[in-house]
Every structure is written in structure tokens, then in C-alpha cells.
């Protein structure tokens, strides 16, 4: 596919982003996706109970595993390039196995994590050690260690909790009912939050939090499709953007690695990009299929991935001067790829 390494982004480069590969063989909505921090790998979890591993440098599917017993909802990489944590959709009442530690290399479940009584809606791995966090609609956040079955800590909250570590792994954020964002020291979270921010005027629940790579900004996405960029130190709102509503589907927004741009889906199926410093929209793209519910920018590449029931890879296309229909100016387009058949877990 010829993805380029990340250099300094500017408005023109962001505006030139175009679809370069499409994978349309999913049997349902893609629920979540994650990039590996160091390797050129992407993992997806979808409603067809599959967890899929992709090489993003060549836009190739590497591996597919199916999880019919538990389903595949939230997913994130561990530090190992072929291991991931995946949350459960089915049989949670009977098994209690809310999270699984997967080895995609040999299609094994390395460990089950029991504790959550209802579905996990937020999942993230510490960037510095084997800790990870999960937030559930059972109104709890749990802190885990990959090496141990037992939960290491619990935070009881109101509403639907959303969790994120900062890029240094020293701080984590938890969003809860009423637009409150609480910041914890990850080494002494049992002492309670050291700061609390309020997103004034918006009482919708936060469904996604991300920290910028430099730790200076936080990106919040709400269930009514508003996006806010906050100063991560003072909690002040730097800018905010409103997208078209998407009933029954949450959208996702992402920072670029330099923290200068935000890209997001919208309820009308379009994608948007804004320059945070100027607060101007620099691009609006059509041509994706359905509402983009999962979207992330690759850590070290000029590339983002957007997913609905279709997975699309986007890279700069210097010949593209129009943002109306990027699919018409693709350099390369991967045909729909048939997944390899593997034993079911």
C-alpha cells in the first residue's frame, strides 16, 4: 500500500488523506480496533465474533480467530505483538469471564479475568507495564495485571465509565456521569483522584477519552456526538466540535500523533478533520460505508483507520485535491479479503 512514515503534518497533508485499502468481508459491525505501539500491526474485534490481525505497512490480513462462545467486543494490544485483551459479549452471566488474554499466534486463551457483571465498554493497556483497565456498565472500573487472574483494584462510579492512560502511564483518566473527568495517579489510585474536570454545559456521557502523545491535551467524545479538546493540566476547554447524531451508535475521534489535529466520524457517514490550533475544519470526506464507529490514527505513520461494518485504511494521496470523494482517487484498493478459516475458541 506504500504507507509513509510520519513526518510533520500540515493542513495540506491531512486534507489529501484518501482511502487506500478496504476490507469488506466482516459479517457485522466492527466494535473496536487498536494499533500496536511499536510494530506496524492493527487488531480488530467485530460482531461476527472475529478478532483479526493486520499488517498496516502492506495492508494485509495476517490472522483471523473466531470466538463464538464469548464474542468479540472491546480489544486492545498488550505489549507483545501477537497478544491482545478482548472483552466478552455473550454468556457473561453464566461464565463471569468478562475479559480474555488472547494469543493470536497459536489461537489460545492465556488467561480469563472475572469480575465485571455486565458488558465492558472501555478497555486500555498501560504503556509502561502489564497493568490494564476496564470500564463496565456495571458502574465499575477495574485495574488488572496480565500476570494475575485476580482484579488488582476497583473504582465504583456513577454512570458509564470510560478509561484512558496517558502516554507515560503515570496518570489515568476516568469519565463518569454528568461529564466529570477524574484524574488518578496510577501508582496510588487508592488515594482517590488528584483532580476533577467538568465539561461545562454537556451532560451527555463520555464514551471515549484519549490523551495526546505529549500529554498536554485530552480528547473527549460524548454519546451525543460532541467532541472536546481539553487542556490536560488545567481542564480548560481548548475547542469543541459537534457532529451529526447517530442513534444507537457511538462514534470515535482520534488525535494525530503530533497532537495538532483531530479526526472523527459523524452520524451522517462523513469523516472530518480539524486543526486544533486554528479550530478550523481542514477536511470533510465522503465515501465511507455507514457511520464510522471506530477510528484511530497509526502511532508512527501518516495513516488512519476507520471502521463501520467495513474496515478502511487512509493515507495521503498527493494527487488528490478534492475532499468530496476520496474513494475516486485511490492509488490502490485492496479487494475484499476472505478470512482464513481457523478453529473457534
Amino acid at each position: 500500500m506504500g504507507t509513509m512514515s510520519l513526518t510533520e503534518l500540515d493542513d495540506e497533508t491531512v486534507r489529501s488523506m484518501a482511502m487506500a485499502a478496504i476490507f469488506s468481508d466482516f459479517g457485522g459491525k466492527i466494535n473496536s480496533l487498536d494499533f500496536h505501539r511499536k510494530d506496524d500491526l492493527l487488531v480488530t474485534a467485530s460482531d461476527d465474533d472475529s478478532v483479526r490481525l493486520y499488517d498496516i505497512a502492506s495492508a494485509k490480513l495476517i490472522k483471523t480467530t473466531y470466538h463464538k462462545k464469548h464474542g468479540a467486543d472491546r480489544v486492545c494490544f498488550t505489549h507483545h505483538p501477537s497478544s491482545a485483551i478482548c472483552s466478552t459479549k455473550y454468556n457473561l452471566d453464566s461464565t463471569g469471564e468478562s475479559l480474555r488474554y488472547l494469543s493470536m499466534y497459536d489461537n489460545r486463551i492465556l488467561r480469563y479475568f472475572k469480575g465485571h457483571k455486565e458488558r465492558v465498554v472501555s478497555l486500555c493497556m498501560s504503556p509502561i507495564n502489564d497493568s490494564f483497565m476496564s470500564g463496565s456498565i456495571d458502574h465499575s472500573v477495574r485495574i488488572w495485571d496480565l500476570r494475575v487472574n485476580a482484579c488488582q483494584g476497583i473504582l465504583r462510579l456513577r454512570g458509564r465509565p470510560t478509561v484512558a492512560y496517558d502516554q507515560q502511564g503515570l496518570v489515568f483518566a476516568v469519565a463518569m456521569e454528568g461529564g466529570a473527568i477524574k484524574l488518578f495517579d496510577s501508582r496510588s489510585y487508592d488515594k482517590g483522584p488528584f483532580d476533577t474536570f467538568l465539561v461545562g454545559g454537556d451532560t451527555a456521557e463520555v464514551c471515549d477519552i484519549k490523551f495526546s502523545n505529549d500529554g498536554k491535551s485530552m480528547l473527549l467524545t460524548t454519546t451525543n456526538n460532541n467532541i472536546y479538546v481539553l487542556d490536560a493540566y488545567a481542564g480548560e476547554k481548548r475547542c469543541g466540535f459537534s457532529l451529526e447524531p447517530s442513534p444507537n451508535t457511538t462514534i470515535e475521534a482520534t488525535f494525530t500523533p503530533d497532537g495538532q489535529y483531530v479526526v472523527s466520524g459523524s452520524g451522517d457517514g462523513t469523516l472530518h478533520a480539524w486543526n486544533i490550533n486554528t479550530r478550523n475544519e481542514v477536511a470533510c470526506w465522503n465515501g465511507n460505508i455507514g457511520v464510522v464507529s471506530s477510528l484511530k490514527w497509526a502511532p508512527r505513520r501518516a495513516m488512519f483507520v476507520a471502521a463501520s461494518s467495513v474496515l478502511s485504511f487512509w493515507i495521503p494521496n498527493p494527487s488528490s485535491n478534492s475532499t468530496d470523494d476520496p474513494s475516486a482517487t485511490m492509488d490502490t484498493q485492496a479487494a475484499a479479503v476472505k478470512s482464513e478459516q481457523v478453529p473457534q475458541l
Side-chain angles (χ1 to χ4, degrees), residues 22-338:
I22 298 173
F23 298 86
S24 56
D25 61 323
F26 291 85
K29 177 173 162 280
I30 298 162
N31 294 316
S32 60
L33 52 84
D34 190 36
F35 286 103
H36 193 269
R37 286 179 175 274
K38 295 182 178 174
D39 290 29
D40 282 327
L41 296 170
L42 173 79
V43 64
T44 64
S46 60
D47 271 348
D48 62 5
D49 305 327
S50 71
V51 173
R52 307 186 190 203
L53 185 67
Y54 293 86
D55 180 327
I56 64 168
S58 60
K60 287 194 172 133
L61 175 68
I62 300 171
K63 184 90 173 178
T64 304
T65 58
Y66 285 95
H67 304 264
K68 299 295 183 184
K69 179 182 176 184
H70 296 90
D73 200 354
R74 313 310 299 173
V75 70
C76 70
F77 272 111
T78 66
H79 298 290
H80 193 282
S82 63
S83 297
I85 307 154
C86 186
S87 71
T88 293
K89 279 179 64 184
Y90 315 134
N91 305 314
L92 193 51
D93 290 341
S94 59
T95 68
E97 295 161 352
S98 53
L99 296 157
R100 290 112 58 215
Y101 178 16
L102 309 177
S103 168
M104 289 175 283
Y105 172 73
D106 53 3
N107 197 24
R108 283 190 305 131
I109 296 177
L110 303 176
R111 196 179 300 281
Y112 291 101
F113 300 96
K114 296 183 179 183
H116 285 301
K117 305 300 182 192
E118 296 188 59
R119 193 167 67 90
V120 169
V121 291
S122 186
L123 184 63
C124 62
M125 184 82 202
S126 166
I128 58 171
N129 57 35
D130 285 330
S131 299
F132 68 97
M133 283 191 302
S134 56
S136 166
I137 53 177
D138 67 8
H139 311 302
S140 72
V141 167
R142 288 178 178 259
I143 294 103
W144 311 85
D145 188 306
L146 279 176
R147 300 163 294 183
V148 187
N149 292 68
C151 175
Q152 304 297 293
I154 305 174
L155 303 171
R156 305 280 182 193
L157 309 164
R158 297 188 309 276
R160 165 196 172 130
T162 303
V163 295
Y165 283 100
D166 77 337
Q167 298 298 326
Q168 288 73 43
L170 301 176
V171 171
F172 66 80
V174 178
M176 60 191 74
E177 192 176 65
I181 314 297
K182 294 186 181 289
L183 298 182
F184 294 80
D185 184 323
S186 59
R187 297 158 297 184
S188 54
Y189 55 83
D190 53 323
K191 295 179 180 174
F194 66 82
D195 212 344
T196 300
F197 303 151
L198 290 170
V199 184
D202 193 336
T203 56
E205 289 184 304
V206 173
C207 56
D208 188 54
I209 307 178
K210 291 182 176 68
F211 283 89
S212 60
N213 279 347
D214 61 10
K216 293 179 180 177
S217 301
M218 277 194 298
L219 177 62
L220 312 180
T221 309
T222 69
T223 51
N224 62 358
N225 290 5
N226 287 330
I227 296 167
Y228 301 100
V229 179
L230 303 187
D231 181 303
Y233 301 119
E236 295 162 353
K237 188 162 71 175
R238 293 184 61 193
C239 52
F241 311 103
S242 293
L243 285 307
E244 291 295 320
S246 52
N248 306 317
T249 303
T250 56
I251 62 169
E252 183 174 7
T254 184
F255 280 120
T256 52
D258 60 7
Q260 301 304 303
Y261 296 88
V262 168
V263 181
S264 174
S266 179
D268 59 3
T270 56
L271 291 162
H272 300 258
W274 298 271
N275 182 313
I276 294 171
N277 294 317
T278 66
R279 304 186 181 186
N280 292 330
E281 182 173 290
V282 296
C284 174
W285 301 283
N286 297 314
N288 205 6
I289 299 170
V291 177
V292 171
S293 53
S294 296
L295 188 149
K296 284 188 173 70
W297 195 288
R300 296 164 317 284
R301 290 190 175 271
M303 170 191 183
F304 69 82
V305 170
S308 51
S309 58
V310 168
L311 179 66
S312 57
F313 289 21
W314 294 66
I315 60 173
N317 180 355
S319 66
S320 173
N321 295 315
S322 168
T323 59
D324 289 338
D325 185 10
S327 59
T329 57
M330 288 187 288
D331 286 335
T332 58
Q333 180 171 324
V337 181
K338 292 296 175 190

Side-chain angles (χ1 to χ4, degrees), residues 4-37:
M4 59 188 278
S5 294
L6 187 69
T7 53
E8 193 75 21
L9 289 171
D10 54 29
D11 288 4
E12 186 177 349
T13 304
V14 173
R15 197 174 292 120
S16 75
M17 299 294 283
M19 230 186 286
I22 298 173
F23 298 86
S24 56
D25 61 323
F26 291 85
K29 177 173 162 280
I30 298 162
N31 294 316
S32 60
L33 52 84
D34 190 36
F35 286 103
H36 193 269
R37 286 179 175 274

